[in-house]
Every structure is written in structure tokens, then in C-alpha cells.
Amino acid sequence: MVGNSGGATGPEGVALRQRIERRFERFGHFSVRHRWSLIAIVLLFAAALSSQAPRMTMDTSVDAFLQEDDPAKQFYNDFRDRFGRDEVAIAAIRTPDALAPAFLAKLRDFHQALEEEVPHLEEVRSLINARMTRGERDELIVEDLLEEWPQDPEAWRRLRAYALANPLYQNLLISSDARLSLVMVETSAYSSEGLGAEDPVDFSEDEESGAPVAFLTGAENRAAVRAIRQVAERFAGEGFEISLAGAPVVQAEVIGAMERDMVRFVGMMVVVIALLLALLFRRVSGVLLPLLVVAPAVSGTIGIMVIAGEQMSAPTQILPSMLLAVGVGAAVHILTIFFQRFDAGASREDAIAQALGHSGLAVCMAGLTTAGGLLSFIAARAAPVAAIGTFAPIGILLALVYCLVLLPAFVSVLPLRRKSGAGHETRTAPDAGRLASVLVAVGEFSIRHARAAVGITAVVVAVSLVGASKIRFGHDILGWLADSHPLHAVTALFDAEMQGSMSLEMVADTGQENGVQRVEALNALEALPAELQEVARAQGLEVGKTISLADVVKEINQALNDGSPDFHRIPQDRQLIAQELLLFESSGTDDLETMVDSRFSMARMSIRLPYVDPMRYTPFIEASLARFQDHFGPGVAIHATGFAAVMSTTISALISSLVSSYVLALLIITPLMMLLLGSLRIGLASMIPNLAPIVITLGVMGWGDIEMDAFTLMIGGIAIGLAVDDTIHYLHNFRRYYAEFGDVSRASAETLRTTGQALFVTSVVLTAGFAIFTLAELENLFYFGLFTALTIANAFLIDILVAPALMELAYGGKTRGRERSAPGA
């Protein structure tokens, strides 16, 4: 007997299933009789949540992918508190001569306009206010390069000679051939949200109290970049060709594309779903009802994110479209049976009750397992991925509750007409439909060739596993933008002309007051750039400009010795170093604040690097840490931070997130499948059609050399949650009909005949929904949509091709009781 080998079809399992289904039927009657009360209560609750959705903001900052308690993020926040923001917007100005009086006059106006018009501004740096250090007798004078405008040709000649000879200007403010001039726009590290226009941004009280510091938001960064762009467009012209780049500009472009894509995708998703529902149900109510039920779940989920203080990030922007597609799928399963029974002559209340009795349990099981699969992301180190693990399950459960409560209530109040010519439905009717006939034929083919179907699948999975082992990881934010985007060309220009557009910040913490004034510490800072260049070239990189306290000390020493190049070196006397630095601070400049802390115990070195896939930064950063430690010794703590280091840490977070989320998904879903299907054997067998599509997709990515990033990382967890839906609906109904008929072939045929149409439509809805992402401006969304759609399509095909074969191998040749001539639902 089959019942002896699995509880799914044993007498106890059948009785339990029937009791649960009767309770769903009773709930259907209850929802109709109390429809207005249920509608009022649920809609008031949904409205309260949805009212928060318009307050959602977006964040694509470099550190947004790390959890708040991640040591790398905590040190990066501490770095910004102490030294300011390392990410700057860069305006590169092409001109025949960047030191010509006419160009510098226009540059002065451009510089001043930026200072006046850019919000959230910390500082603008250009040749106009470049630091010029000189000595007069025993006095050190620090002033702006163009603090006094040259009045004669000789003064202009001296200015040109000084600018071209100053090593701190080269490849930072001006190119070596003086044909490219850079303007660096540094925004504030802190947010000014909630402050008035005249209020100072002072977070000292927050720091003393331990309250979290509010850093510049994505919206504020975008406002600053928008203002920079407007000023640049006004000044650009012949001999003053302006291009913008830098991390803040990239982030603003990504946020803009995200906002456009999210609105567009939700709209397109609604249109696609409406068309598919119209084709399935061929009635207006069949289109409106699923959308009316699911829309509040989508907006409510966004509202919950706002209440929880969560911002929309690049990965989490998929949530609205995903929840829309998944929620509609659940509604389709209930409505399919409802319309079948309603058109066959059942009363509206009875049809609702029968639909919930038939599909309610399976819909709940599918919703729980989908939520379980997505819940696996909650343990991810990558913060946006973890956010999906938190809020996607909430959205799925909201959609599930609304489907079970609102859908029956709405069905009972909306005007509906029966389709003409509909007769009493039987599962064996010859006019069951062309689609059902095709699905049944595929299932029968799978059963007849069960061993071949499973064997071929095993071979494909094995080949895919080899491909999956070749997957490479990355987190290339600039690469999200299309190759034709102007930022690619501008970044390449910076990297070629100025040897780097990205920053790596190395920090040496001696733990001792005035520790970085020691001769040994300054000698180390002086020697390291050449060594780092060797390390970089060995890895196919190039170190651009490096700036540290050592450069300032050499500049001061030269200025105090009549500007002689022979004195552009570190004095080997600690007392002399301390005196020179005191003179520099007394001159009125605050430039040291960005290089050392107030106790001179901690020193920073800024390193410019070309923009490459952040994965390539990792070995360079590891080697740089080792070189710094060798020079400073074991008593000094060395840290790497800034854009390159945080991006490198993000890669590690993504890799660990992949492993943890996939393992956790299996640990959550497998026991759920065993419990919900009531059988250890069927529960384990059900994981084959659930895992095979994911392995195949990973194999395609590996063989196709497609990078695994924060988006494609989520495919497995999302797909396993969605693939389980089809498997549950198939196996739930299969066990019902197998318990009734005791024959695998007939149980599979009846399952595909009654539920197959809904399985097909929900798979098409999900596939089409995720395929919409292939129209995204951001290329990472393109790959996410492509491979998620491929996975879901494969999951459906494997369910109808492999699941029947697995059931044949598990139960073939066994019978259960006698076949009944009038099978019941």
C-alpha cells in the first residue's frame, strides 16, 4: 500500500487534508456573509500602511550594501566623521591651455558659481584656491594660488612655472600638459534633513550621546549633482568643455535610472498581467479582481519599509514588481476554480467556498514556502539583500491574507455573469481545453519515459554544476550603466589623463599622541607610494596621485628654505618637524584636518586608482595593508577604507551571502515541503524539480561568464521560493487524486487537467513579469530579469516533465484501493 510508505496518501493524511479543505470552504461561506465588514477592516488596515509609501527614498551610496554592524562600514563611518567625505564629484575641463588668463578667469567664475549654487557643499577645490605655500624670513605663508590676480606678464609667467612644478597639483588639479583642469566638488558628509536653511550642521551632540550620525542621503547627493550639472551646462563651451564623473555622479545616475525603471516596470507589469488575465478568464472581473487584491499588498509593503526606516536600494527596487507578479499568481489559482464552478452552475457563495476548499490549502502552502525561500536572505551580509529577506516575506504574507480575505469578499459584491453555454464540469470532459490536453499529454509522456526523463535531467544538472563552479563575483556599479552611457567615456578619460578616478584610503593609527610626527612614520608615508605602484603594476593596475602628511611636510620644508627643490624632503629631526607643522597650522589653513586627527596619532593616505571591476581591488588592498604594516611595524593599526575598500568588502559580503542564503533556503523549504505535503519521501522528491532550474541557471551563468552581483545573487532564493509554488500545487492535487484513484497516470492527468491551466498562467505571468526587467536602463537588472525569467520557465517545464516521472518511479506499479468512476474534488 502506498499509504505505508508515505503519510501523504494514507488514511490519516487524507482525512487531515479533507478536514482542512472543509475549513477553507467554511471560511469561504464566512467571507461572503460578512463581506462588507471584512472589506472595511482590511482596506482600512491596507490604507494605513499604504499611506506611508510616498515617503520612500532611495539610497545607492557605496556603503549602503553593508550592514550597520559590519566592521568595514563602522570604520568607514568613523573615517567620514574624522576626515570628511572621500567621494568627490569631479568636473574635468578640456582646454588648449589651462593656465591661460582667459581660461582662469572663466574658471574663477565657474568655481564661484559652484560655491553659491550647489547645496550640501563642503568645499570646491580647483586651481583658483589651490594651496600655495611660501616662506618669508621665518614666517610661513599659506594662501590660495590666485588669491591675488596677476597684473602683468611676468606675474603670469611665475604662476605658470609654479603650477607646473608643484607636485601636489599634478594629476590632481591639472594634467601634465596643462590641457585638462579639474574642479573637485566635495559635499558634506552629513545630512541636513530636518534643519532650516540657516541652521548649522553640527553633530557633536549626537556623537557625544552615541546617537547615530545622519550621513548625506541619496536625495541630497542627487540634488547636489543636479546643481553641479546645471552650472556646468551654463559654463560649457568652446575651450571650456566640461565632463562630470566621480562616485557621487555615478550614484546620482544610478538613482535616476532606478526611479525611472521602478515606475516604468510597475506600469508595464500591470499591463502584461492584465493582458494575460484577459486571455485566461476572458472577462473584466478576471482582470480587475487580482489587481485590486494585490495592489494594497505592494503599497503596504513599501509603507512598512518606510515605517522601519528602510530606504529603497538598487536590489530592493525589484520588490514592487515581484510582489505584484507573485500575488497575482495566488489569486489566479483561486479564481480559476471559482469561475469553473460558477460557470458550471454553482451559486456565487458555493463557488467561492469550493474554490477555497480546492485551492486554499495549496495557495497557503505555496505562500509560506515562497516566503520561506525569500526569508533565507535575511542572514545575508549585504544589507539590501537582507532587506529583501525581511520585507519580501512580509509582502508575500500580506498578499496571501488579502487573497484569502479580500478576494472572496470582492467576488461576492462585484457584478458577474456566467459564461453562456457552460455546462456542468467534469474532470474527464473531452472539451477540457486545448491547453489542458497538451499538459496532460506531456505528463503522460513523462510517465511513459520516467527513467529517461529523470536521467536526462540528472545529466543536465551535472553539466550545470560544472558551469556553476566557474561563476565569478563582482559589484561594478559603473558597469550597471549601459556601455553607451557618457560616464564610461568620462571615467576612461580621467583614468588615462589623471591616473585614477576612484579613491582608496589607507589609515595608520599609532595609538600615541603625535605618533605620526615621528620621523619613522613620515619616512614610511614617503616611501610607500613607490612600493604601492610596483604592487599595482604587478596586478595590472596603476596608482595615480597619492597624498599624505608626508607631502605637506615636504612642501613646508621646501617653502621655509627659499623654495629650493633640494629641500623638498622630510626633515630627519622630529623637533623640526613639529615646529614646521605648528607654523603651518598657525598660518590659518585647516588643510591638516583632512590628513591627520587632532592628536596627530592617526594619518591618512589617499590613493587614486583607475576604475575597474572592484573584484580586482581586493588583492591590491591586501598587499597594500601588508606593505603598510611592514613599514609601520606591529604596534600600529592599519586600515583600508574609502570607495575601493568598501566595494571590495561588498564583494566578500555578496559571496558569503550567496552561500548562507542558499543553504538557509534549503533548510527552511525542505522541512516545510515535508510537513505541508505530509510525506518525507514526497517532500524530498519535490526538491528535485525545485533545485534543478536554479542549478541550470547558475550553470548557464558560469559557462556564459556572467558576473554574479547583488542582483543575480538573489535569483536562487527568489526562484526556489517561486518554483516551489508550482510543485506544491502539482503535488497537492496529485496526492488528492492518487488517494482517490490509486493510479499514477490518472492522478497526474487529473492534476494537470484541473490545475495545469492555472500553473501555466501563473508561470507565464511570473516569467513575463521578470522578463520586463530586461528593458531596464541598468544592465544588472537586465541580467537579473533574464535569468530569473529563465529559471521560472524552466521550473514550470521541469514540473510537468520531471515531477510526473518522479511520481511514477516512486509509486508506479502500486495501487491504492479501487478506482472510482465518479471522482470527487
Side-chain angles (χ1 to χ4, degrees), residues 544-611:
K545 194 71 180 177
T546 62
I547 299 177
S548 71
L549 180 62
D551 298 297
V552 177
V553 171
K554 289 191 291 184
E555 178 187 5
I556 298 169
N557 195 53
Q558 181 179 359
L560 290 173
N561 287 276
D562 298 325
S564 171
D566 293 339
F567 287 88
H568 191 261
R569 53 184 169 79
I570 303 291
Q572 299 302 297
D573 183 323
R574 180 170 181 175
Q575 235 179 0
L576 180 57
I577 291 171
Q579 291 172 357
E580 291 185 349
L581 288 172
L582 180 60
L583 284 173
F584 187 79
E585 288 185 289
S586 301
S587 69
T589 181
D590 59 359
D591 287 1
L592 284 181
E593 292 179 3
T594 63
M595 297 183 184
V596 295
D597 66 337
S598 59
R599 298 175 63 247
F600 280 86
S601 63
M602 188 180 295
R604 161 195 186 185
M605 178 183 285
S606 297
I607 305 168
R608 286 283 168 184
L609 295 169
Y611 190 96

Coordinates of all heavy atoms in Angstrom, one line a residue, residues 544-611:
G544 N 47.6 56.3 -9.2 CA 47.7 57.6 -9.6 C 48.2 58.5 -8.5 O 49.3 58.2 -7.9
K545 N 47.6 59.6 -8.2 CA 48.0 60.5 -7.2 C 47.9 59.9 -5.8 O 46.9 59.3 -5.5 CB 47.2 61.8 -7.3 CG 47.8 63.0 -6.5 CD 49.0 63.5 -7.3 CE 49.7 64.7 -6.5 NZ 50.9 65.1 -7.2
T546 N 48.9 60.1 -5.0 CA 48.8 59.8 -3.5 C 49.1 61.1 -2.8 O 50.0 61.9 -3.1 CB 49.8 58.7 -3.1 OG1 51.2 59.2 -3.4 CG2 49.6 57.4 -3.9
I547 N 48.3 61.3 -1.7 CA 48.5 62.5 -0.8 C 48.5 62.0 0.6 O 47.6 61.3 1.0 CB 47.4 63.5 -1.1 CG1 47.4 64.0 -2.5 CG2 47.5 64.7 -0.2 CD1 46.3 64.9 -2.9
S548 N 49.5 62.5 1.4 CA 49.5 62.2 2.8 C 50.2 63.3 3.5 O 50.7 64.3 2.9 CB 50.3 60.9 3.0 OG 51.7 61.1 2.7
L549 N 50.4 63.2 4.8 CA 51.1 64.2 5.6 C 52.5 64.4 5.2 O 53.0 65.5 5.3 CB 51.0 63.7 7.1 CG 51.7 64.7 8.1 CD1 51.0 66.0 8.2 CD2 51.7 64.0 9.5
A550 N 53.1 63.3 4.7 CA 54.5 63.5 4.2 C 54.6 64.5 3.1 O 55.6 65.3 3.0 CB 55.0 62.1 3.7
D551 N 53.6 64.6 2.2 CA 53.7 65.6 1.1 C 53.6 67.0 1.7 O 54.3 67.9 1.2 CB 52.5 65.3 0.1 CG 52.6 64.0 -0.5 OD1 53.6 63.8 -1.3 OD2 51.7 63.2 -0.3
V552 N 52.8 67.2 2.7 CA 52.6 68.5 3.3 C 53.9 68.9 4.0 O 54.4 70.1 3.9 CB 51.5 68.5 4.3 CG1 51.4 69.9 5.0 CG2 50.2 68.2 3.6
V553 N 54.5 68.0 4.7 CA 55.8 68.3 5.4 C 56.9 68.6 4.4 O 57.7 69.6 4.7 CB 56.2 67.1 6.3 CG1 57.6 67.3 6.9 CG2 55.2 66.9 7.5
K554 N 57.0 67.9 3.3 CA 58.0 68.3 2.3 C 57.7 69.6 1.7 O 58.6 70.4 1.4 CB 58.0 67.2 1.2 CG 58.6 65.9 1.7 CD 58.8 64.9 0.6 CE 57.5 64.4 -0.1 NZ 57.8 63.4 -1.1
E555 N 56.4 69.9 1.5 CA 56.0 71.2 0.9 C 56.4 72.4 1.9 O 57.0 73.4 1.5 CB 54.5 71.3 0.7 CG 54.0 72.6 0.2 CD 52.5 72.6 0.1 OE1 51.9 71.6 0.6 OE2 51.9 73.6 -0.4
I556 N 56.2 72.2 3.2 CA 56.5 73.2 4.2 C 58.0 73.4 4.3 O 58.6 74.5 4.3 CB 56.0 72.8 5.6 CG1 54.5 72.7 5.6 CG2 56.4 73.8 6.7 CD1 53.9 72.0 6.8
N557 N 58.8 72.3 4.3 CA 60.2 72.3 4.4 C 60.8 73.0 3.2 O 61.8 73.9 3.4 CB 60.8 70.9 4.5 CG 62.2 70.9 5.0 OD1 62.5 71.4 6.1 ND2 63.1 70.2 4.3
Q558 N 60.3 72.8 2.0 CA 60.8 73.5 0.9 C 60.5 75.0 0.9 O 61.4 75.8 0.6 CB 60.2 72.9 -0.4 CG 60.7 73.6 -1.7 CD 60.1 72.9 -2.9 OE1 59.3 72.0 -2.9 NE2 60.5 73.4 -4.1
A559 N 59.3 75.3 1.3 CA 58.9 76.7 1.4 C 59.8 77.5 2.4 O 60.1 78.7 2.2 CB 57.4 76.9 1.8
L560 N 60.1 76.9 3.5 CA 60.9 77.6 4.6 C 62.4 77.6 4.2 O 63.2 78.2 5.0 CB 60.7 76.8 5.9 CG 59.3 77.0 6.5 CD1 59.2 76.1 7.8 CD2 59.0 78.4 6.9
N561 N 62.7 77.0 3.1 CA 64.1 77.1 2.6 C 64.2 77.7 1.3 O 64.8 77.1 0.3 CB 64.7 75.6 2.6 CG 65.0 75.1 4.0 OD1 66.1 75.4 4.6 ND2 64.1 74.4 4.6
D562 N 63.6 78.9 1.2 CA 63.6 79.7 -0.1 C 63.1 79.0 -1.3 O 63.5 79.3 -2.4 CB 65.0 80.2 -0.3 CG 65.5 81.1 0.8 OD1 64.7 81.8 1.4 OD2 66.7 81.0 1.1
G563 N 62.2 77.9 -1.1 CA 61.6 77.2 -2.2 C 62.6 76.4 -3.0 O 62.3 75.9 -4.1
S564 N 63.7 76.0 -2.4 CA 64.7 75.2 -3.1 C 64.2 73.8 -3.2 O 63.8 73.2 -2.2 CB 66.0 75.2 -2.3 OG 67.0 74.3 -2.8
P565 N 64.3 73.3 -4.5 CA 63.9 71.9 -4.7 C 64.7 70.9 -3.8 O 64.2 69.8 -3.5 CB 64.1 71.6 -6.2 CG 64.1 73.0 -6.8 CD 64.7 73.9 -5.7
D566 N 65.9 71.2 -3.5 CA 66.7 70.3 -2.7 C 66.1 70.0 -1.3 O 66.5 69.0 -0.7 CB 68.1 70.9 -2.5 CG 68.9 71.0 -3.8 OD1 68.5 70.2 -4.7 OD2 69.8 71.8 -3.9
F567 N 65.3 70.9 -0.8 CA 64.7 70.8 0.5 C 63.2 70.2 0.4 O 62.5 70.2 1.4 CB 64.7 72.1 1.2 CG 66.0 72.5 1.7 CD1 66.9 73.2 0.9 CD2 66.5 72.1 3.0 CE1 68.1 73.6 1.3 CE2 67.7 72.5 3.4 CZ 68.6 73.2 2.6
H568 N 62.9 69.7 -0.7 CA 61.6 69.0 -0.9 C 61.7 67.6 -0.4 O 61.7 66.6 -1.1 CB 61.1 69.0 -2.3 CG 59.6 68.6 -2.5 ND1 59.3 67.4 -2.8 CD2 58.5 69.3 -2.2 CE1 57.9 67.3 -2.9 NE2 57.4 68.4 -2.5
R569 N 61.9 67.5 1.0 CA 62.2 66.2 1.6 C 61.7 66.3 3.1 O 61.4 67.3 3.6 CB 63.6 65.8 1.5 CG 64.6 66.9 2.1 CD 66.0 66.5 1.9 NE 67.0 67.6 2.1 CZ 67.3 68.0 3.3 NH1 66.9 67.4 4.4 NH2 68.2 69.0 3.5
I570 N 61.7 65.1 3.7 CA 61.3 65.0 5.1 C 62.5 65.4 6.0 O 63.6 64.7 5.9 CB 60.8 63.6 5.5 CG1 59.7 63.1 4.6 CG2 60.4 63.5 6.9 CD1 58.4 63.9 4.8
P571 N 62.4 66.4 6.9 CA 63.5 66.6 7.8 C 63.7 65.4 8.7 O 62.7 64.8 9.2 CB 63.0 67.9 8.6 CG 61.9 68.5 7.8 CD 61.3 67.4 7.0
Q572 N 64.9 65.1 9.0 CA 65.2 63.9 9.9 C 65.3 64.3 11.3 O 66.1 63.7 12.1 CB 66.4 63.2 9.3 CG 66.3 62.7 7.9 CD 65.1 61.7 7.8 OE1 65.1 60.6 8.4 NE2 64.1 62.1 7.0
D573 N 64.6 65.3 11.7 CA 64.6 65.8 13.1 C 63.2 66.0 13.5 O 62.4 66.8 13.0 CB 65.4 67.2 13.1 CG 65.5 67.7 14.5 OD1 64.6 67.5 15.3 OD2 66.5 68.3 14.8
R574 N 62.8 65.2 14.6 CA 61.4 65.2 15.0 C 61.0 66.6 15.5 O 59.9 67.1 15.3 CB 61.2 64.2 16.1 CG 59.7 64.1 16.6 CD 59.4 62.9 17.4 NE 58.0 62.9 17.9 CZ 57.5 61.9 18.5 NH1 58.2 60.9 18.9 NH2 56.2 62.0 18.9
Q575 N 61.9 67.3 16.2 CA 61.6 68.6 16.8 C 61.3 69.6 15.6 O 60.4 70.4 15.7 CB 62.7 69.1 17.7 CG 62.2 69.5 19.0 CD 63.4 69.9 19.9 OE1 64.6 70.0 19.5 NE2 63.1 70.3 21.2
L576 N 62.1 69.5 14.6 CA 62.0 70.4 13.5 C 60.7 70.2 12.8 O 59.9 71.1 12.3 CB 63.1 70.3 12.5 CG 63.1 71.2 11.2 CD1 63.0 72.6 11.6 CD2 64.3 70.9 10.4
I577 N 60.3 68.9 12.6 CA 59.0 68.5 12.0 C 57.8 69.1 12.8 O 56.9 69.7 12.2 CB 58.9 67.0 11.9 CG1 59.9 66.4 10.9 CG2 57.4 66.6 11.5 CD1 59.9 64.9 11.0
A578 N 57.9 69.0 14.1 CA 56.8 69.6 15.0 C 56.7 71.1 14.8 O 55.6 71.6 14.8 CB 57.1 69.2 16.4
Q579 N 57.9 71.8 14.7 CA 57.9 73.2 14.6 C 57.3 73.6 13.2 O 56.5 74.6 13.2 CB 59.3 73.8 14.7 CG 59.9 73.6 16.2 CD 61.3 74.0 16.2 OE1 62.0 74.3 15.2 NE2 61.9 74.0 17.4
E580 N 57.7 72.9 12.2 CA 57.1 73.3 10.9 C 55.6 73.1 10.8 O 54.9 73.9 10.2 CB 57.9 72.5 9.8 CG 59.3 72.9 9.6 CD 60.0 72.1 8.5 OE1 59.4 71.2 7.9 OE2 61.1 72.5 8.1
L581 N 55.2 72.0 11.4 CA 53.7 71.7 11.4 C 53.0 72.8 12.2 O 51.8 73.2 11.8 CB 53.4 70.3 11.9 CG 53.8 69.2 10.9 CD1 53.7 67.8 11.6 CD2 52.9 69.2 9.7
L582 N 53.6 73.2 13.3 CA 52.9 74.3 14.1 C 52.8 75.6 13.3 O 51.8 76.2 13.3 CB 53.8 74.5 15.4 CG 53.2 75.5 16.3 CD1 51.8 75.2 16.8 CD2 54.2 75.7 17.5
L583 N 53.9 75.9 12.5 CA 53.8 77.1 11.7 C 52.7 76.9 10.6 O 52.0 77.9 10.3 CB 55.2 77.3 11.0 CG 56.3 77.8 11.8 CD1 57.6 77.8 11.0 CD2 56.0 79.3 12.3
F584 N 52.6 75.8 10.1 CA 51.6 75.5 9.1 C 50.2 75.7 9.6 O 49.3 76.4 9.0 CB 51.7 74.1 8.5 CG 50.9 73.8 7.3 CD1 51.2 74.3 6.1 CD2 49.7 73.1 7.5 CE1 50.4 74.0 5.0 CE2 48.9 72.8 6.4 CZ 49.2 73.2 5.1
E585 N 49.9 75.2 10.8 CA 48.6 75.3 11.5 C 48.4 76.8 11.8 O 47.3 77.3 11.8 CB 48.6 74.4 12.7 CG 48.4 73.0 12.4 CD 48.3 72.1 13.7 OE1 49.2 72.0 14.4 OE2 47.1 71.6 13.9
S586 N 49.4 77.5 12.2 CA 49.3 78.9 12.7 C 49.0 79.8 11.5 O 48.6 81.0 11.7 CB 50.6 79.3 13.4 OG 50.8 78.5 14.5
S587 N 49.3 79.4 10.3 CA 49.1 80.2 9.1 C 47.6 80.4 8.8 O 47.3 81.3 7.9 CB 49.8 79.6 7.9 OG 49.1 78.4 7.5
G588 N 46.7 79.7 9.5 CA 45.3 79.9 9.2 C 44.6 78.9 8.4 O 43.4 78.8 8.2
T589 N 45.4 77.9 7.8 CA 44.9 76.9 7.0 C 44.4 75.7 7.9 O 44.9 75.5 9.0 CB 45.9 76.3 6.0 OG1 45.3 75.3 5.2 CG2 47.1 75.7 6.7
D590 N 43.3 75.1 7.4 CA 42.8 73.9 8.1 C 43.0 72.6 7.3 O 42.3 71.6 7.5 CB 41.3 74.1 8.4 CG 40.5 74.3 7.2 OD1 41.0 74.3 6.1 OD2 39.2 74.4 7.3
D591 N 43.9 72.7 6.4 CA 44.2 71.5 5.5 C 44.6 70.2 6.2 O 44.3 69.1 5.7 CB 45.2 71.9 4.4 CG 44.6 72.8 3.3 OD1 43.4 73.2 3.5 OD2 45.3 73.2 2.4
L592 N 45.2 70.4 7.3 CA 45.7 69.2 8.0 C 44.5 68.4 8.6 O 44.7 67.2 8.9 CB 46.6 69.6 9.2 CG 48.1 70.0 8.8 CD1 48.8 70.3 10.1 CD2 48.8 68.9 8.1
E593 N 43.4 69.0 8.8 CA 42.2 68.3 9.3 C 41.8 67.1 8.4 O 41.2 66.2 8.9 CB 41.1 69.2 9.5 CG 41.3 70.3 10.6 CD 40.1 71.2 10.8 OE1 39.1 71.0 10.1 OE2 40.2 72.1 11.6
T594 N 42.1 67.2 7.2 CA 41.7 66.1 6.2 C 42.8 65.0 6.1 O 42.6 64.0 5.4 CB 41.4 66.6 4.8 OG1 42.6 67.2 4.3 CG2 40.3 67.7 4.9
M595 N 43.9 65.2 6.8 CA 45.1 64.3 6.7 C 45.4 63.6 8.0 O 45.9 62.4 8.0 CB 46.3 65.0 6.2 CG 46.1 65.6 4.8 SD 47.6 66.3 4.2 CE 47.0 67.0 2.7
V596 N 45.2 64.2 9.1 CA 45.5 63.7 10.4 C 44.4 64.0 11.4 O 43.6 64.9 11.2 CB 46.9 64.2 11.0 CG1 48.0 63.8 10.1 CG2 46.8 65.7 11.1
D597 N 44.4 63.2 12.5 CA 43.4 63.6 13.6 C 44.0 64.7 14.4 O 45.1 65.1 14.3 CB 43.0 62.3 14.4 CG 44.2 61.8 15.2 OD1 45.3 62.1 14.8 OD2 44.0 61.1 16.2
S598 N 43.2 65.2 15.4 CA 43.6 66.3 16.2 C 44.7 66.0 17.1 O 45.5 66.9 17.5 CB 42.4 66.8 17.0 OG 41.9 65.8 17.9
R599 N 45.0 64.7 17.4 CA 46.1 64.4 18.3 C 47.3 64.0 17.6 O 48.3 63.6 18.1 CB 45.6 63.2 19.2 CG 44.5 63.5 20.1 CD 44.0 62.3 20.9 NE 45.0 61.8 21.8 CZ 45.6 60.6 21.7 NH1 45.3 59.8 20.6 NH2 46.5 60.2 22.5
F600 N 47.3 64.0 16.2 CA 48.4 63.5 15.4 C 48.8 62.1 15.7 O 49.9 61.7 15.6 CB 49.6 64.4 15.6 CG 49.6 65.7 14.8 CD1 49.0 66.8 15.3 CD2 50.1 65.8 13.5 CE1 48.9 68.0 14.6 CE2 50.0 67.0 12.8 CZ 49.4 68.1 13.3
S601 N 47.8 61.3 16.1 CA 48.0 59.9 16.3 C 47.6 59.0 15.1 O 48.0 57.9 15.1 CB 47.2 59.4 17.6 OG 45.8 59.5 17.3
M602 N 46.9 59.6 14.2 CA 46.4 58.8 13.1 C 46.6 59.6 11.8 O 46.3 60.8 11.7 CB 44.8 58.6 13.3 CG 44.2 57.7 12.3 SD 42.4 57.6 12.7 CE 42.4 56.8 14.3
A603 N 47.1 59.0 10.8 CA 47.4 59.6 9.5 C 46.7 58.9 8.4 O 46.6 57.6 8.4 CB 48.9 59.6 9.2
R604 N 46.3 59.7 7.4 CA 45.6 59.1 6.2 C 46.4 59.3 5.0 O 47.1 60.3 4.8 CB 44.3 59.9 6.1 CG 43.6 59.8 4.7 CD 42.6 61.0 4.6 NE 41.8 60.9 3.4 CZ 40.9 61.8 3.1 NH1 40.7 62.9 3.8 NH2 40.2 61.7 1.9
M605 N 46.4 58.3 4.1 CA 47.0 58.4 2.8 C 45.9 58.2 1.7 O 45.2 57.1 1.7 CB 48.1 57.4 2.5 CG 48.7 57.5 1.1 SD 50.0 56.3 0.7 CE 51.4 57.1 1.6
S606 N 45.6 59.1 0.9 CA 44.6 59.0 -0.2 C 45.3 58.5 -1.4 O 46.3 59.1 -1.9 CB 43.9 60.3 -0.5 OG 43.2 60.8 0.7
I607 N 44.8 57.4 -2.0 CA 45.4 56.8 -3.2 C 44.4 56.8 -4.3 O 43.3 56.3 -4.2 CB 45.9 55.4 -2.9 CG1 46.8 55.4 -1.7 CG2 46.5 54.8 -4.1 CD1 47.0 54.0 -1.2
R608 N 44.7 57.4 -5.5 CA 43.9 57.4 -6.6 C 44.1 56.1 -7.5 O 45.3 55.8 -7.7 CB 44.1 58.6 -7.5 CG 43.5 59.9 -6.9 CD 42.0 60.0 -7.1 NE 41.4 61.0 -6.3 CZ 40.2 61.2 -6.2 NH1 39.3 60.5 -6.8 NH2 39.7 62.2 -5.4
L609 N 43.0 55.5 -7.8 CA 43.1 54.2 -8.6 C 42.2 54.4 -9.8 O 41.2 55.0 -9.8 CB 42.7 53.0 -7.8 CG 43.6 52.7 -6.6 CD1 43.0 51.6 -5.8 CD2 45.0 52.2 -7.1
P610 N 42.5 53.7 -10.9 CA 41.6 53.7 -12.1 C 40.4 52.9 -11.7 O 40.4 52.0 -10.8 CB 42.4 53.0 -13.2 CG 43.4 52.1 -12.4 CD 43.7 52.9 -11.2
Y611 N 39.3 53.2 -12.4 CA 38.0 52.5 -12.1 C 38.1 51.1 -12.9 O 38.2 51.0 -14.1 CB 36.8 53.2 -12.6 CG 35.5 52.6 -12.1 CD1 34.9 53.0 -11.0 CD2 35.0 51.5 -12.8 CE1 33.7 52.4 -10.5 CE2 33.8 50.8 -12.3 CZ 33.2 51.3 -11.2 OH 32.1 50.7 -10.7

